Amino acid sequence: MAGHVTGPLRAAFLTVEGHWVWYRRNWRATVISNFLQPVLMLLAMGLGFGSQVQAGPATGGHPYVVFLAPALLVLTAVQNAMFESTWAVFSAFKWQQTYVGIVATPITPAQVLHGRLLWNALRLTTSTLVFLAVATALGAVTTPAALWAVPFAVLAGMAFSAPVIAFTATRQKPDAFNSLYRFLLMPMTLFTGAFFPLDQLPAWLHPLAWLTPVWHGIELARGAAFGTLSVLPALGHVAYLAAMVAAGVVLGRRHFHRRLTR
């Protein structure tokens, strides 16, 4: 309808509906990366390698698989956010030009971004809930309080997703995504306290880990799962992750507008 302006909430849900229509036809292509791969990692590292690791101070007195599970929950969210914020977004800009078609309607570039972020949050919530259910069945989750780790993992994933989406909106070629995987995602996976305590790394690496959303997410998830989360540190972690989301949204709105209105 000419001159009609779609409300921001309705526009976001319309964008999510478009993603859902595609996903329900193509969900099989994401099963391995979104669901099976994290479970295999839990089996290999938690139950396989973990069977050789004794519970002690380094694991907070917990069996290694229990120590690892909350961290893998966060890594699942962040790793899934990588694909949803790079290749999927780039394709919608460049190859399929889905976003070009959407902004030909009354939906604005900013609303396209908001819908993408909402869809990513739903996808991360689904994948982390599935992982938590499997981890519980395998005995890696021992307390109902671990359910609180899910929103913390999703927040960490979105703190990574929002800035990466903004970055993707500036790309004309996908070459930089391999560098993101190699020099950002992999170091965050290995050196932020997921597989072993951060204090076992050289001190000069600690500030680099503190800058990542993964470390903050792991601290929140483990604290929730083990009942050791204090209020002030939790607020600090949440505030940092929320600030990353907000910064990504501000940058994303700017880049989406430039990309889709020129």
Side-chain angles (χ1 to χ4, degrees), residues 62-81:
H62 303 283
Y64 186 73
V65 67
V66 176
F67 170 80
L68 184 61
L72 283 185
L73 191 73
V74 175
L75 291 177
T76 296
V78 173
Q79 290 172 353
N80 289 344

Side-chain angles (χ1 to χ4, degrees), residues 110-189:
Q111 291 168 341
V112 172
L113 170 65
H114 299 161
R116 180 77 233 188
L117 289 169
L118 180 58
W119 172 250
N120 283 8
L122 292 173
R123 293 278 286 109
L124 299 187
T125 301
T126 301
S127 62
T128 52
L129 283 172
V130 170
F131 177 82
L132 183 67
V134 174
T136 301
L138 293 174
V141 176
T142 59
T143 170
L147 188 61
W148 284 103
V150 170
F152 293 142
V154 173
L155 179 59
M158 293 307 298
F160 181 73
S161 176
V164 172
I165 287 177
F167 172 77
T168 300
T170 67
R171 300 296 93 190
Q172 295 298 327
K173 295 181 179 180
D175 302 349
F177 298 156
N178 290 330
S179 297
L180 284 180
Y181 277 92
R182 187 173 300 131
F183 300 114
L184 186 61
L185 183 62
M186 289 307 298
M188 286 198 306
T189 299

Side-chain angles (χ1 to χ4, degrees), residues 23-257:
Y23 182 74
R24 70 184 182 185
R25 297 176 181 174
N26 299 277
W27 62 271
R28 294 173 184 83
T30 67
V31 168
I32 292 179
S33 61
N34 288 349
F35 303 112
L36 186 57
Q37 184 174 322
V39 172
L40 292 176
M41 180 67 77
L42 180 65
L43 291 172
M45 296 299 297
L47 297 178
F49 172 77
S51 64
Q52 306 302 310
V53 179
Q54 294 184 347
T59 63
H62 303 283
Y64 186 73
V65 67
V66 176
F67 170 80
L68 184 61
L72 283 185
L73 191 73
V74 175
L75 291 177
T76 296
V78 173
Q79 290 172 353
N80 289 344
M82 173 62 89
F83 174 80
E84 296 292 339
S85 306
T86 52
W87 294 102
V89 174
F90 183 84
S91 177
F93 274 122
K94 188 75 172 181
W95 296 323
Q96 296 178 322
Q97 296 192 341
T98 308
Y99 294 160
V100 176
I102 293 175
V103 296
T105 73
I107 297 177
T108 67
Q111 291 168 341
V112 172
L113 170 65
H114 299 161
R116 180 77 233 188
L117 289 169
L118 180 58
W119 172 250
N120 283 8
L122 292 173
R123 293 278 286 109
L124 299 187
T125 301
T126 301
S127 62
T128 52
L129 283 172
V130 170
F131 177 82
L132 183 67
V134 174
T136 301
L138 293 174
V141 176
T142 59
T143 170
L147 188 61
W148 284 103
V150 170
F152 293 142
V154 173
L155 179 59
M158 293 307 298
F160 181 73
S161 176
V164 172
I165 287 177
F167 172 77
T168 300
T170 67
R171 300 296 93 190
Q172 295 298 327
K173 295 181 179 180
D175 302 349
F177 298 156
N178 290 330
S179 297
L180 284 180
Y181 277 92
R182 187 173 300 131
F183 300 114
L184 186 61
L185 183 62
M186 289 307 298
M188 286 198 306
T189 299
L190 297 174
F191 304 119
T192 52
F195 300 99
F196 47 85
L198 186 63
D199 58 17
Q200 295 186 5
L201 290 174
W204 64 268
L205 277 176
H206 294 183
L208 297 178
W210 298 337
L211 293 174
T212 67
V214 173
W215 179 78
H216 292 275
I218 289 173
E219 289 294 300
L220 287 167
R222 279 205 177 116
F226 301 154
T228 59
L229 193 62
S230 300
V231 174
L232 288 180
L235 290 176
H237 293 308
V238 170
Y240 183 85
L241 295 174
M244 289 191 68
V245 174
V249 171
V250 171
L251 292 173
R253 285 170 63 100
R254 180 183 306 169
H255 296 318
F256 268 59
H257 180 78

